[in-house]
Amino acid sequence: TWGGKGDNLLKLSEVFNVPSGFVISSDTYTKFVRSNGLDDLETLSLNGDEDAIVKRLLSAEFDRETVSRLEDEFSRVKTPVAVRSSSISEDGGKNSYAGQHESILGVTNFREFQAALKAVYASLMNPRVREYRKSQGLPDDNSIAAVVQTMINPKVSGVAYSPSPSHLDEILIESTWGLCTSIVDGRPCDIYRVLDTVTENIIGDISPKKKEMEIFDRRKKKVVTTSAPLFKSGRSSLEKNQIIEVAQTVKSIER
């Protein structure tokens, strides 16, 4: 299976402009674990031995056939790419898993790509994820898929919900300068509440604490954290017309 994120992105790409990439099915994870004799990872996870899990997964190798197929797909996408987790139980009707599993940004070569994919695999056994599943009454996933997408280099990025989790008559937009890793991490961002039926009706909460931003440094070939320019920290990261455009796009996706 493609997992929740992978499945939804494949559907979205039929209608909307989704960054190019490919999905690695959960079967690849299962094959990787079995071929490396890692069937005891579940026991290590139950014992909370996360370091041992990560160490064993990162030192394991993909078989020749898988390496060949991954190389072929990776050569087709423009770098840098994001390697994103796509859990089997993700993005369901009652849960989202947002930020629970690992996603690796700024991957530029095949060696980094393999390491990033293994890091995504290791996050399946993260004790925090297991506790989340337990609190939501969800069964433990025994495999995970991954989404590989060409990264864009945004001036502003964020997350939009339609409807808002707390107000069903509103669209909620969270945005910040640069990449939206800070939003996923729970750091300060701008918040806009947009009335569902009248997208010009906007209530904004502009954070003056957006003092850091993540960008992809092309010289260093990795994502770095840098100070946001002083004139940006207290300024709205989205103009009114951009907020309206995001809200209308999200409504189109919802429909």
Side-chain angles (χ1 to χ4, degrees):
T1 119
W2 309 123
K5 187 185 285 107
D7 194 41
N8 284 324
L9 283 168
L10 286 166
K11 291 173 183 174
L12 276 174
S13 66
E14 295 176 7
V15 182
F16 294 92
N17 184 16
V18 174
S20 61
F22 59 97
V23 184
I24 302 168
S25 79
S26 61
D27 293 339
T28 304
Y29 169 85
T30 302
K31 183 180 179 182
F32 173 73
V33 168
R34 287 177 179 169
S35 65
N36 284 281
L38 300 172
D39 299 298
D40 61 337
L41 291 180
E42 189 81 10
T43 303
L44 290 174
S45 178
L46 288 170
N47 293 334
D49 201 346
E50 189 176 357
D51 289 341
I53 292 170
V54 173
K55 186 176 180 180
R56 290 188 63 188
L57 279 168
L58 292 181
S59 62
E61 300 291 342
F62 291 100
D63 63 80
R64 270 188 202 175
E65 181 190 1
T66 301
V67 168
S68 177
R69 293 183 68 182
L70 290 175
E71 274 186 313
D72 184 50
E73 292 295 339
F74 187 77
S75 68
R76 298 170 190 267
V77 293
K78 183 179 178 182
T79 58
V81 299
V83 182
R84 311 174 65 196
S85 59
S86 183
S87 168
I88 307 306
S89 304
E90 190 170 341
D91 296 340
K94 296 181 180 179
N95 54 80
S96 69
Y97 271 48
Q100 298 295 320
H101 293 111
E102 192 69 76
S103 288
I104 310 297
L105 305 182
V107 175
T108 59
N109 60 58
F110 188 66
R111 179 183 57 80
E112 289 178 357
F113 168 58
Q114 290 186 84
L117 184 54
K118 293 174 192 177
V120 168
Y121 286 172
S123 69
L124 179 68
M125 299 294 172
N126 188 309
R128 183 190 71 236
V129 178
R130 297 185 70 101
E131 188 57 37
Y132 177 83
R133 293 192 201 109
K134 185 178 177 182
S135 69
Q136 298 294 316
L138 299 167
D140 274 345
D141 287 338
N142 58 9
S143 62
I144 191 169
V147 174
V148 182
Q149 282 183 287
T150 294
M151 281 180 56
I152 61 170
N153 192 22
K155 293 179 180 178
V156 178
S157 62
V159 183
Y161 305 86
S162 179
S164 164
S166 54
H167 298 280
L168 297 182
D169 61 342
E170 291 180 346
I171 297 164
L172 178 67
I173 300 169
E174 299 177 348
S175 68
T176 192
W177 304 112
L179 297 166
C180 72
T181 45
S182 60
I183 295 177
V184 177
D185 292 343
R187 282 178 272 161
C189 65
D190 295 334
I191 299 173
Y192 309 95
R193 292 162 49 201
V194 185
L195 192 64
D196 194 334
T197 53
V198 186
T199 53
E200 287 79 7
N201 189 339
I202 302 166
I203 300 173
D205 182 6
I206 311 305
S207 173
K209 297 181 180 179
K210 307 187 299 295
K211 299 185 183 298
E212 291 182 341
M213 58 188 289
E214 271 77 39
I215 61 170
F216 178 77
D217 188 314
R218 296 194 175 279
R219 184 174 59 83
K220 296 180 179 179
K221 293 187 176 181
K222 66 178 183 178
V223 172
V224 298
T225 302
T226 185
S227 297
L230 285 175
F231 77 92
K232 283 187 173 183
S233 60
R235 189 177 130 207
S236 173
S237 51
L238 290 174
E239 303 292 340
K240 182 177 179 179
N241 66 309
Q242 293 174 322
I243 298 168
I244 293 170
E245 183 178 357
V246 169
Q248 291 175 342
T249 301
V250 170
K251 286 302 294 181
S252 295
I253 292 172
E254 181 187 329
R255 284 193 293 272

